[in-house]
Amino acid sequence: NVFAINLLLAGAWGALAADYSITSLTIGFVLGFASLWIVRGLFPDDGYFLRVPRLVRLAAVFLRELVLSSIRVARDVLAIRPTARPGIVGVPMRARTEAEILTVSSLVTLTPGTLSLDLSEDGETLYVHAMFVDDPDDLRAEIRETLESPVLEALS
């Protein structure tokens, strides 16, 4: 398993540096990934070298959404005249596996101003409560493009 080897290399980096901080382990992980990428021909192609950049992109997209939605919620909470228009919207899901659905619904819940409420019996619609529902179609499109698409790309 290439991922396990990469984790061992990150741990070895931490041991060599005598520093097990997140920063040191991240540096070790990146250096391990680069080293393994150089010798990738020695390992069977399990898609690892495609998945890691996709997971990094997903993390970056989520962090961006987290910051932007936190600012929007904080601005509305501190405003003299709040502009929140809460509502519940059904979002059709392209995600089909349990891991994809769980990841999308968890990211929706972790984003300030939104909360995953339920999944339809057939697993094709995620019901989301949102603090700002000016246009339900815009909210659906935003969830699908900013959260669901990167999740599907990262987990495929």
Side-chain angles (χ1 to χ4, degrees):
N1 187 338
V2 182
F3 177 67
I5 295 170
N6 202 355
L7 288 178
L8 287 172
L9 290 173
W13 176 264
L16 287 172
D19 180 14
Y20 287 102
S21 67
I22 291 291
T23 304
S24 179
L25 292 175
T26 302
I27 290 169
F29 188 85
V30 169
L31 289 174
F33 181 83
S35 300
L36 291 170
W37 186 79
I38 290 170
V39 296
R40 67 186 177 276
L42 299 175
F43 304 103
D45 185 20
D46 65 350
Y48 177 73
F49 296 105
L50 293 175
R51 273 195 311 274
V52 170
R54 290 176 182 170
L55 289 170
V56 169
R57 179 180 176 272
L58 173 61
V61 166
F62 175 68
L63 287 175
R64 177 181 167 271
E65 287 302 310
L66 183 67
V67 169
L68 292 177
S69 60
S70 295
I71 291 169
R72 185 174 184 190
V73 169
R75 185 179 299 150
D76 195 65
V77 168
L78 297 173
I80 294 172
R81 291 187 189 93
T83 60
R85 298 185 63 198
I88 297 173
V89 176
V91 180
M93 300 286 287
R94 292 175 295 186
R96 292 292 171 245
T97 68
E98 289 181 7
E100 293 169 344
I101 293 170
L102 177 65
T103 304
V104 171
S105 64
S106 296
L107 292 179
V108 166
T109 296
L110 288 170
T111 305
T114 57
L115 175 69
S116 297
L117 296 175
D118 197 11
L119 184 66
S120 64
E121 289 291 324
D122 59 6
E124 293 187 4
T125 304
L126 178 67
Y127 294 98
V128 175
H129 178 275
M131 193 170 161
F132 303 99
V133 183
D134 298 323
D135 181 11
D137 290 330
D138 286 347
L139 179 65
R140 285 182 191 100
E142 182 180 347
I143 289 173
R144 291 186 81 181
E145 295 308 312
T146 59
L147 294 177
E148 187 179 26
S149 291
V151 166
L152 293 176
E153 184 179 302
L155 298 181
S156 66

